[in-house]
Amino acid sequence: MTAFADVATAPHPGAVESARRVPGRLAWLRERGMGATVLVSGISAGFGVLLLTATGYIATVLRADPFFGDSETLAAVIGILSVLLAGVAVYVGAMVTANTFATIVAGRTRRIALMRLIGASARSQRAEVAGQGLVVGAIGAFGGLALGTVTCILVVPLLDRLVGIDSGYVVAQPALPLPAIAVALTTWAAAWVGSRRVLSVTPLQALGGSVEVSRAQVAGRRGRTVTALVLLGVGVALLALGVVAGFVTPLGVVISFFGGLLSFTGLTLAAPVIMPPLLRLTARAFGRSAPARLAAENALRYPERSSRMAIGVVMGVALVTMFAVAAESVKVLVAVSAGGEIDASFAGMLDSFAAVMMALVGVSAVIAAVGLVNLLTIGVVQRRRELGLLRALGLSGGQVRRMVLLEAAHVTVTALAFGLLLGVAYGWVGAQSLLGSVRIPPAWSAPTFIAPALPLLPVLVVVIATAVLTLVAAVVPTRLATRVAPVAALAD
């Protein structure tokens, strides 16, 4: 029994140096993945602060405009956007965090099993992981709050000069800490959700290494599949209801918002089932070389690992595309209402508003990028023995690096295509449910059907950014993949 305790409490070889520099109880903060979670929490909280400030500033500027100042509908639309966009920031951060902790728990399988073997309960182990999520969430969230607030205080005067007005907007609003509080709590909840696999770890797994759920095990999860289908069905129904309600009131977008959350959550839960067929189609475009076939098989063999990496990219692409499609659809609608030509000042206002919203939502893509790099890096670290075996069997370092790069390419290309489709659908639903009942100038007619329009430039930017993300995300993992000698990796 003492021997097992010694093994369970002994630090990982790669963490010995880290433990020397960090106090014992906080040594886990040096574990790979925790720093990225702090960063995601910080970006999410800062994102929320920027969203609240940006929408508040836009509302202040529009109220000062004699053309729009008396519009109660416009004020309501801006207020709704502020709340919904802050909710999107929290949701994206929570999804990335849950995926990160799920991957961390998979890497801790052996340690958790050893602790179970010497008497620790699964619930205590899960509570430990969730507590770590709360700590890193609070560190990141309140750091993001401070940095975001300082940034907004510096940027608002610059915007006043750029626009040519004195808005008098005060950044320090009572609601400003809410994103940080929400991010800290959702990070804790996401860590709890991501650590659910702790409950299924058995003491016998102490004999193995990190273990991901296989394709056969995923196929056998009927309960999760049924839950995903229910959420997806309810979400789609709410999206449809939001579109119908949007012909009567702009509050239809609130219904659509919850429909979007539920439907996307359903897609996320079903991702280990949905992604393998899509990944199999993508694999055909990468040829039949040994690294390409190994990359394709690795992506398919453990669908949970692949879907966790893909879903963050899907979220980022879908969000950016959604706002681009919504803005372009409104612009086309105004052009039709004006008889084919938009007033220059009105077009400029629409473009400025779309640019601000796209820049803000683009931060969610950064969150997704951090998640992808983090998960890909953790995955390579946890597969040291597998990669060492491939090197021992004759694969060169270059071939292993190409395999890891192609794995990232499989995931990002598939996620790009899926995210573009979802973004177009969500963008049209959002525009229709928000503006279907609003009188559109210059004809001022309502209710209005808004046909979806696809802006080519933002889509091209998304495609290029995804290609760059693939290369950047693979830099650290490809180096780690060949840094350790095959004999040392097999000895782990």
Side-chain angles (χ1 to χ4, degrees):
M1 184 67 73
T2 304
F4 280 123
D6 291 340
V7 174
T9 56
H12 187 278
V16 172
E17 184 61 28
S18 299
R20 290 174 183 168
R21 288 176 287 177
V22 184
R25 290 190 176 182
L26 297 179
W28 55 267
L29 282 171
R30 301 287 302 183
E31 186 173 348
R32 194 175 295 276
M34 293 300 178
T37 303
V38 172
L39 181 58
V40 166
S41 301
I43 294 174
S44 300
F47 185 26
V49 170
L50 290 173
L51 286 173
L52 290 178
T53 302
T55 51
Y57 180 82
I58 290 170
T60 301
V61 171
L62 291 179
R63 278 196 294 269
D65 191 305
F67 189 66
F68 295 102
D70 297 329
S71 175
E72 294 182 2
T73 300
L74 184 61
V77 168
I78 296 296
I80 290 169
L81 280 176
S82 175
V83 174
L84 296 188
L85 290 175
V88 167
V90 173
Y91 180 82
V92 172
M95 295 294 288
V96 171
T97 300
N99 287 335
T100 298
F101 271 88
T103 305
I104 289 172
V105 168
R108 290 184 184 179
T109 299
R110 187 180 183 191
R111 176 185 174 277
I112 292 169
L114 285 167
M115 295 301 295
R116 294 287 311 280
L117 195 62
I118 62 175
S121 68
R123 293 190 180 279
S124 68
Q125 291 292 294
R126 191 180 190 188
E128 178 187 343
V129 175
Q132 293 171 357
L134 180 60
V135 171
V136 295
I139 293 172
F142 289 97
L145 170 64
L147 186 59
T149 302
V150 171
T151 301
C152 291
I153 290 173
L154 295 175
V155 167
V156 165
L158 297 178
L159 288 175
D160 282 348
R161 292 179 188 175
L162 184 64
V163 178
I165 63 170
D166 182 11
S167 65
Y169 183 74
V170 179
V171 173
Q173 300 290 330
L176 214 57
L178 292 179
I181 296 171
V183 166
L185 293 177
T186 52
T187 303
W188 169 72
W192 179 265
V193 171
S195 63
R196 64 187 178 276
R197 190 159 165 243
V198 170
L199 300 175
S200 64
V201 175
T202 64
L204 287 176
Q205 289 178 274
L207 299 176
S210 64
V211 181
E212 287 281 359
V213 178
S214 67
R215 204 182 323 178
Q217 289 172 308
V218 168
R221 290 179 170 178
R222 295 183 180 179
R224 177 168 174 164
T225 303
V226 170
T227 302
L229 290 175
V230 170
L231 288 173
L232 184 59
V234 174
V236 170
L238 287 176
L239 288 171
L241 181 60
V243 169
V244 174
F247 286 107
V248 180
T249 170
L251 292 176
V253 74
V254 177
I255 301 174
S256 295
F257 173 75
F258 287 105
L261 288 185
L262 290 177
S263 60
F264 195 86
T265 302
L267 287 172
T268 301
L269 288 176
V273 177
I274 295 173
M275 294 307 296
L278 299 178
L279 289 167
R280 191 174 288 109
L281 288 174
T282 306
R284 297 177 181 176
F286 289 92
R288 300 293 299 170
S289 65
R293 282 182 290 156
L294 282 170
E297 183 56 34
N298 283 335
L300 292 169
R301 185 174 43 172
Y302 297 116
E304 269 205 343
R305 182 170 63 198
S306 301
S307 64
R308 283 197 294 264
M309 289 190 290
I311 208 67
V313 180
V314 171
M315 275 193 294
V317 171
L319 280 172
V320 174
T321 306
M322 176 180 70
F323 277 90
V325 168
E328 187 69 14
S329 300
V330 172
K331 199 171 180 180
V332 170
L333 176 64
V334 172
V336 172
S337 178
E341 190 171 334
I342 310 177
D343 179 73
S345 61
F346 189 77
M349 188 201 72
L350 279 178
D351 289 339
S352 299
F353 180 78
V356 171
M357 289 296 104
M358 287 285 290
L360 290 171
V361 174
V363 178
S364 65
V366 175
I367 296 174
V370 172
L372 176 64
V373 174
N374 187 38
L375 292 175
L376 193 59
T377 303
I378 295 173
V380 168
V381 171
Q382 293 175 356
R383 293 160 57 199
R384 282 163 52 92
R385 293 192 68 185
E386 174 191 327
L387 297 174
L389 178 60
L390 290 174
R391 294 289 307 281
L393 290 174
L395 261 69
S396 66
Q399 287 178 311
V400 172
R401 284 193 293 270
R402 282 198 298 275
M403 182 190 75
V404 174
L405 176 61
L406 287 173
E407 282 184 37
H410 276 104
V411 171
T412 52
V413 169
T414 306
L416 171 66
F418 196 28
L420 286 173
L421 290 174
L422 289 177
V424 171
Y426 285 144
W428 173 76
V429 169
Q432 183 64 63
S433 58
L434 179 65
L435 301 173
S437 64
V438 177
R439 297 184 181 276
I440 302 295
W444 300 103
S445 59
T448 308
F449 175 78
I450 302 174
L454 187 65
L456 295 180
L457 181 59
V459 170
L460 181 62
V461 170
V462 168
V463 172
I464 294 173
T466 303
V468 173
L469 171 62
T470 303
L471 296 174
V472 171
V475 169
V476 174
T478 51
R479 288 180 179 176
L480 291 174
T482 55
R483 181 175 295 176
V484 181
V487 175
L490 291 173
D492 282 352

